[in-house]
Amino acid sequence: MKNKHFGYIFLFVIALAGCAKRGSITGGDKDVAAPKIISSYPKNLSTDFNEKTIKITFDEYIKIKDLQKNLIVSPLLKHSLTVLPQGGVSKHMIIKIADTLKPNTTYSFNFGESIIDNNEGNVLKNFKYVFSTGKELDSLTVEGSIKDAFEKKTPPFVNVMLYEVDENYKDSIIYKESPRYITNTSDSLTTFKLENIKAGKYKLVALKETSSNYKFDSKKDKIGFYNQTITVPDKSIFELELFKEEVGFTAKKPAQASGNRIIVGYEGNPKDAAVKTTYKGNPLLNRVTKFPEKDSLQVWVNPLKNDSISLTVNHPKFNKDFTVQFKNQKNDTLKLSSKDNVLALNGNLKVISATPLEKFDGSKMSLTKKDSSKVNFKTTYDGFNQTMDVLFKKEENEKYTFNLLPDAVEDYLGQKNDSIKFTFSTKAMTDYGNLKLVLKNVKSYPVIVDLTDDKGKVLYTRFVSKEPEVEFFLIEPQKYSVRIIYDANNNQQWDTGSFLENRQPEEVYHYPTEIDVRANWDVNQDVDLGK
């Protein structure tokens, strides 16, 4: 009987197992919902606000992440908000206000993407807590977009600000004081929307800052602004173009680099700078050249040991005297070099001199092909950059040798070269491509047409006075971006803007897609500047 009873039980268990659904145990669907607000005290959108502490309750545990990067308080407060939890988790967010709030003012605390749930990291995006210390909430808006005035890509995290234009307003306010209202474009958007604005007159400014103090540092920050005062309410969509102002020229303290050379760092454009040197009250002859790839000038003098000279840097808006104490250091020696191992068919051989050259003897220079036949050439010398260009008619698939016999060149110290030769070659014409651009709907001439790489480096450029067709022959095969500059003042360069002069930068157009130029290809491309 016991065995029979046991058998029934065994069959019953087997039957249950067969009916059971097979599968693995799971925890259910993944939580993708952002934290929800259950309550807040005082209530969001309150009026007659006079509290120092705000408590917001959520339906789950939350964390605060990257608060300084995300939180935007508008209008700005003198003291930072205290927001809890800091480094922990809680179902409550506590906001403590240390400032004395202005009367009849609407405040907005935008938390961006700083509020996340504890388990899955789901973000409560752009939660705003808004209140008014007066009887009404300000509800007007100012909208627009941001673009870089010169570069193709617009930078992220641009601050957009409104300064109240009243009897106390001056343009210098952007350097010294905080704005009345502020917002941010975040890391992915190029549009902005300033909300909860009071009716009135404002100056609209955008800043891409190196340090977020909401004040314009012209040496470091990019700025964009609307030329005119705006009157809110205004339903216009404003476009602001960011640019870096040209810094006024200033020279830094000189430093000895060798027994005959001084380095002078600078800011701004050194084009019109002049350097005078005197030794014991008497004029001392010098040569001034550009330090390669650095914002510095090189001042070359006759060798000095354990003595000092006076050095004056003059510029139309800058003048300063310096004293340079010379220590016993080695003098620079004459050296010639070239980076041109493979020379472009539309390029020139560049010979770089380590010291400024003064004399050239063409009879001691020669250019030959691989069969030793001579090639006619001429040379030009760029004293500021210390480069000698060798100009000649180039043939494809050819090998060349540029020979300099002893004493072919002489530098300012009377040092002469030893025998030296430079060997280089050219490629076939079929290794290059040709590009013809047809410009359409050009607003005005002249324009500058740049071919750049994906980082914005200019590889080829043309100055176009009136022709709609622009040709680039024998260029390296690769993908090019096209940048077109409206050269309004006809100086063959892009000119930036100035806030204090209320001057916008020269207009720049970027062709939206890269142009693929391949070897042995002729590419014809229409560029419609009206689109």
Side-chain angles (χ1 to χ4, degrees):
M1 288 293 294
K2 288 182 179 180
N3 289 338
K4 185 176 181 180
H5 182 68
F6 178 78
Y8 289 141
I9 295 174
F10 179 75
L11 291 173
F12 179 72
V13 171
I14 293 298
L16 286 176
C19 294
K21 182 179 179 180
R22 295 185 180 183
S24 59
I25 299 175
T26 67
D29 294 335
K30 182 179 179 180
D31 178 15
V32 295
K36 295 180 180 179
I37 296 171
I38 296 176
S39 64
S40 60
Y41 180 83
K43 289 184 178 181
N44 202 355
L45 306 177
S46 292
T47 56
D48 292 322
F49 185 94
N50 62 356
E51 301 289 336
K52 289 292 185 180
T53 301
I54 302 164
K55 183 179 180 181
I56 301 171
T57 302
F58 295 87
D59 66 340
E60 59 181 316
Y61 286 97
I62 57 104
K63 296 187 292 187
I64 307 297
K65 181 181 179 182
D66 297 330
L67 185 68
Q68 290 184 341
K69 180 179 177 181
N70 283 276
L71 177 62
I72 298 174
V73 178
S74 183
L76 290 170
L77 300 173
K78 291 182 178 180
H79 302 94
S80 299
L81 295 176
T82 299
V83 180
L84 303 174
Q86 292 183 0
V89 298
S90 176
K91 284 191 174 183
H92 309 286
M93 182 170 71
I94 307 298
I95 305 169
K96 296 183 178 180
I97 304 170
D99 281 44
T100 299
L101 300 176
K102 296 178 182 180
N104 299 314
T105 301
T106 298
Y107 286 87
S108 171
F109 303 162
N110 189 330
F111 287 86
E113 298 186 358
S114 62
I115 302 173
I116 62 175
D117 68 28
N118 182 49
N119 292 323
E120 301 294 341
N122 297 314
V123 179
L124 176 60
K125 293 186 177 182
N126 295 316
F127 166 64
K128 289 177 63 177
Y129 185 86
V130 180
F131 62 85
S132 173
T133 56
K135 298 292 184 182
E136 296 179 353
L137 287 166
D138 295 325
S139 58
L140 300 177
T141 62
V142 174
E143 297 183 62
S145 62
I146 303 290
K147 64 175 290 189
D148 195 286
F150 188 72
E151 304 294 341
K152 192 172 185 179
K153 186 177 180 181
T154 301
F157 297 110
V158 178
N159 292 326
V160 184
M161 304 170 289
L162 287 176
Y163 294 86
E164 195 167 14
V165 178
D166 54 20
E167 65 276 5
N168 297 318
Y169 174 84
K170 295 180 180 179
D171 285 340
S172 59
I173 192 173
I174 68 168
Y175 302 91
K176 301 175 182 179
E177 298 181 26
S178 300
R180 176 66 186 266
Y181 299 104
I182 185 169
T183 190
N184 191 287
T185 60
S186 77
D187 62 345
S188 59
L189 299 177
T190 57
T191 58
F192 66 86
K193 187 174 183 179
L194 288 148
E195 298 180 296
N196 304 112
I197 307 300
K198 184 179 181 180
K201 296 182 181 297
Y202 299 94
K203 186 68 175 180
L204 177 60
V205 176
L207 290 182
K208 175 56 183 176
E209 298 185 79
T210 54
S211 58
S212 293
N213 59 2
Y214 308 112
K215 296 180 179 67
F216 179 41
D217 184 341
S218 60
K219 293 183 178 181
K220 299 178 181 179
D221 301 338
K222 284 188 174 183
I223 188 170
F225 63 93
Y226 190 67
N227 284 57
Q228 302 172 3
T229 298
I230 66 172
T231 301
V232 178
D234 190 327
K235 295 183 179 180
S236 302
I237 303 299
F238 300 94
E239 182 180 77
L240 305 181
E241 295 190 1
L242 292 170
F243 60 89
K244 182 77 167 55
E245 288 191 346
E246 183 175 89
V247 179
F249 178 85
T250 56
K252 300 178 182 179
K253 184 179 179 180
Q256 181 187 5
S258 69
N260 60 298
R261 182 165 51 104
I262 303 163
I263 299 295
V264 182
Y266 63 83
E267 292 180 346
N269 190 340
K271 178 182 177 182
D272 298 319
V275 180
K276 296 180 180 180
T277 49
T278 56
Y279 177 60
K280 295 183 178 180
N282 298 313
L284 180 65
L285 185 64
N286 68 58
R287 287 85 176 163
V288 179
T289 67
K290 179 74 171 64
F291 197 107
E293 300 179 358
K294 289 189 178 181
D295 290 339
S296 297
L297 299 174
Q298 300 181 112
V299 182
W300 304 83
V301 297
N302 290 327
L304 289 173
K305 294 182 179 179
N306 299 320
D307 213 334
S308 63
I309 66 170
S310 297
L311 185 149
T312 302
V313 181
N314 289 296
H315 195 270
K317 295 183 179 181
F318 179 86
N319 182 278
K320 192 168 184 178
D321 298 323
F322 300 95
T323 299
V324 182
Q325 180 69 44
F326 272 79
K327 298 179 181 179
N328 189 11
Q329 293 188 14
K330 291 183 178 181
N331 298 328
D332 292 292
T333 57
L334 172 59
K335 295 179 182 178
L336 301 175
S337 63
S338 177
K339 298 178 181 179
D340 295 324
N341 296 318
V342 178
L343 187 63
L345 288 173
N346 57 4
N348 299 316
L349 175 68
K350 289 186 178 294
V351 177
I352 304 167
S353 173
T355 54
L357 300 180
E358 299 232 332
K359 296 181 180 179
F360 306 86
D361 188 346
S363 67
K364 295 180 179 181
M365 305 178 191
S366 64
L367 179 64
T368 57
K369 295 193 289 187
K370 60 185 174 183
D371 62 2
S372 299
S373 61
K374 291 188 176 181
V375 179
N376 292 326
F377 69 94
K378 64 178 181 179
T379 62
T380 60
Y381 183 65
D382 179 355
F384 189 61
N385 293 294
Q386 296 174 216
T387 56
M388 179 174 69
D389 280 23
V390 183
L391 290 69
F392 65 100
K393 185 178 180 181
K394 287 157 282 295
E395 298 178 15
E396 60 177 329
N397 285 328
E398 187 59 82
K399 291 184 178 179
Y400 294 92
T401 301
F402 183 56
N403 283 286
L404 288 90
L405 297 176
D407 305 338
V409 298
E410 182 179 329
D411 71 6
Y412 84 104
L413 292 175
Q415 301 176 114
K416 300 179 180 181
N417 68 289
D418 295 326
S419 180
I420 188 172
K421 66 180 180 179
F422 300 97
T423 58
F424 56 97
S425 61
T426 58
K427 297 188 293 186
M429 292 185 67
T430 54
D431 291 330
Y432 298 94
N434 300 317
L435 172 62
K436 182 169 76 173
L437 302 177
V438 181
L439 307 183
K440 296 184 176 182
N441 294 314
V442 180
K443 294 179 183 179
S444 62
Y445 286 98
V447 295
I448 302 167
V449 182
D450 291 333
L451 299 185
T452 75
D453 62 14
D454 57 356
K455 295 181 180 179
K457 179 182 178 181
V458 177
L459 304 176
Y460 303 96
T461 186
R462 296 286 186 273
F463 180 74
V464 183
S465 58
K466 59 181 179 179
E467 306 83 7
E469 294 185 357
V470 187
E471 295 180 314
F472 296 87
F473 294 115
L474 300 175
I475 61 177
E476 291 288 341
Q478 69 173 68
K479 291 183 178 180
Y480 292 96
S481 295
V482 177
R483 178 172 61 209
I484 298 175
I485 300 168
Y486 285 100
D487 188 14
N489 61 0
N490 197 19
N491 67 348
Q492 300 191 30
Q493 67 179 27
W494 179 74
D495 291 294
T496 188
S498 169
F499 176 78
L500 292 180
E501 295 175 12
N502 199 36
R503 174 168 49 85
Q504 296 289 347
E506 288 182 327
E507 185 177 353
V508 176
Y509 170 86
H510 292 276
Y511 188 65
T513 57
E514 290 183 320
I515 300 175
D516 190 7
V517 178
R518 300 183 183 182
N520 202 29
W521 274 34
D522 291 319
V523 180
N524 296 324
Q525 180 66 56
D526 291 344
V527 177
D528 190 346
L529 280 72
K531 293 184 177 180

